[in-house]
Amino acid sequence: MDTHATRRSLLARAAALAAVPAIGSVVADTALGSPAIAADATDLPDYAPVPRSSLGPAINSQGYYVGRIKRNLYWVTDGTYVSAFLTTRDGVVLLDAPPSLGHNIQRAIDDVTKPNGLTNKVTHLIYSHHHSDHAGGSGIFGRRVTRIGHSETRRLLIRDNDPNKPAPEETFDDHRVLHIGGERIELAWHGANHTPDNIYIHLPDHDTLMLVDVALPG
Ligand SMILES: [Zn+2]
């Protein structure tokens, strides 16, 4: 399964799921149509134009875009930050809860589940890592959500003591395979990268790997 094509596919999807603030500021400038930037562009040294695909999809009037990655796996973005969720017969598994998306996460889930007659109830939340810009919307989902993350994420969130990002009750150290509502999610920790606790969230049946805040040029 480790063909180059598969790897490229995984990396491409991983890149799409990573939040890259630089892209967000480009989107914001474009949205504002900043005349100062446009006027100065001719004086800049040679540079490659920002690829259209890097600007991301147009967000709706409520401030988000939700799209399908594959089958019952979706992603939602505010133009800068990204979250993903998996709809299952038993409930929704949420992958990160950026506070910039906030209540739009549930709106995006509603958009996808209600027309299909699926439950829109978030039952599980997997943290990629402990940073507030990806975890700080967790508190919205209350106490009846099962939170899952690396053991170091738990330690750091207990240290932070922030009600907006409760510590995960379920943890792992190296690998953990989740079976939720008939779906398979593989969690892995391969050492410190962006943070000591940043994990790989692999959905093998959806050909998708989620790795947050790590840029993978090329
Ligand atoms: Zn981070």
Side-chain angles (χ1 to χ4, degrees):
M1 107 151 232
D2 261 345
T3 63
H4 288 302
T6 301
R7 272 191 219 136
R8 268 200 304 275
S9 164
L10 293 177
L11 293 180
R13 291 207 168 99
L17 288 167
V20 184
I23 291 176
S25 51
V26 169
V27 171
D29 289 342
T30 304
L32 293 172
S34 171
I37 288 176
D40 291 340
T42 52
D43 300 328
L44 291 172
D46 286 348
Y47 69 99
V50 176
R52 185 78 203 116
S53 60
S54 294
L55 298 178
I59 59 173
N60 65 19
S61 60
Q62 288 179 296
Y64 67 96
Y65 167 86
V66 60
R68 188 196 300 265
I69 298 173
K70 188 166 185 177
R71 293 194 293 109
N72 55 336
L73 178 65
Y74 299 86
W75 70 296
V76 53
T77 182
D78 55 25
T80 300
Y81 283 93
V82 168
S83 174
F85 60 89
L86 187 65
T87 62
T88 81
R89 61 180 184 230
D90 296 338
V92 176
V93 183
L94 180 59
L95 314 177
D96 273 352
S100 57
L101 275 161
H103 290 280
N104 280 338
I105 295 173
Q106 186 65 59
R107 292 190 184 101
I109 291 169
D110 293 350
D111 290 346
V112 165
T113 53
K114 285 186 175 171
N116 296 314
L118 296 166
T119 173
N120 66 344
K121 183 173 162 46
V122 176
T123 55
H124 297 78
L125 198 171
I126 297 169
Y127 287 125
S128 64
H129 65 303
H130 72 288
H131 280 165
S132 293
D133 57 343
H134 295 273
S138 173
I140 290 172
F141 296 93
R143 293 185 177 181
R144 286 188 293 177
V145 173
T146 300
R147 293 175 173 82
I148 304 164
H150 191 262
S151 52
E152 182 69 2
T153 302
R154 176 174 167 81
R155 189 187 73 77
L156 291 164
L157 289 182
I158 289 173
R159 177 203 67 181
D160 290 353
N161 192 28
D162 180 348
N164 295 313
K165 46 176 191 171
E169 307 87 17
E170 295 199 20
T171 63
F172 71 100
D173 288 327
D174 294 316
H175 294 276
R176 179 163 179 177
V177 179
L178 304 171
H179 295 277
I180 301 172
E183 305 292 340
R184 180 180 173 92
I185 303 170
E186 299 179 355
L187 307 180
W189 181 79
H190 293 295
N193 44 66
H194 165 64
T195 56
D197 64 325
N198 206 25
I199 63 168
Y200 292 67
I201 303 171
H202 185 205
L203 298 107
D205 300 325
H206 298 79
D207 299 328
T208 299
L209 175 71
M210 178 168 172
L211 178 63
V212 173
D213 279 352
V214 176
L216 299 163

